[in-house]
Amino acid sequence: MAWVEGEIVYAKGFLIDVVDTTGAGDVFHAGFIYGLLQNWEMEKILQFANAVAALKCRELGGRKGFLP
């Protein structure tokens, strides 16, 4: 969730089979910043950040899951 111009913007997380959360916060922040740089709406930014963090959590280790 985020506070934007006096309102809370909320995006649900993704239901996945979690293997490892190492690095999930870092990946979320990277996705969030990417969305900001693209001038996306906050809801889309949060959805994207949640998605890349969820992809990371499906694999073991801090880098596997979101890198090609």
Side-chain angles (χ1 to χ4, degrees):
M1 80 175 61
W3 183 261
V4 180
E5 297 178 4
E7 294 187 32
I8 295 175
V9 178
Y10 179 78
K12 290 179 83 173
F14 292 86
L15 296 176
I16 60 164
D17 292 327
V18 176
V19 174
D20 185 4
T21 62
T22 304
D26 296 329
V27 174
F28 178 91
H29 290 129
F32 189 92
I33 291 169
Y34 179 82
L36 285 176
L37 293 172
Q38 299 303 310
N39 279 334
W40 292 345
E41 295 290 326
M42 184 55 65
E43 186 175 354
K44 182 175 179 178
I45 292 170
L46 292 173
Q47 288 172 343
F48 182 77
N50 281 342
V52 294
L55 287 171
K56 187 268 136 293
C57 290
R58 298 183 315 159
E59 300 285 344
L60 187 62
R63 303 182 95 183
K64 203 169 179 187
F66 69 94
L67 292 176

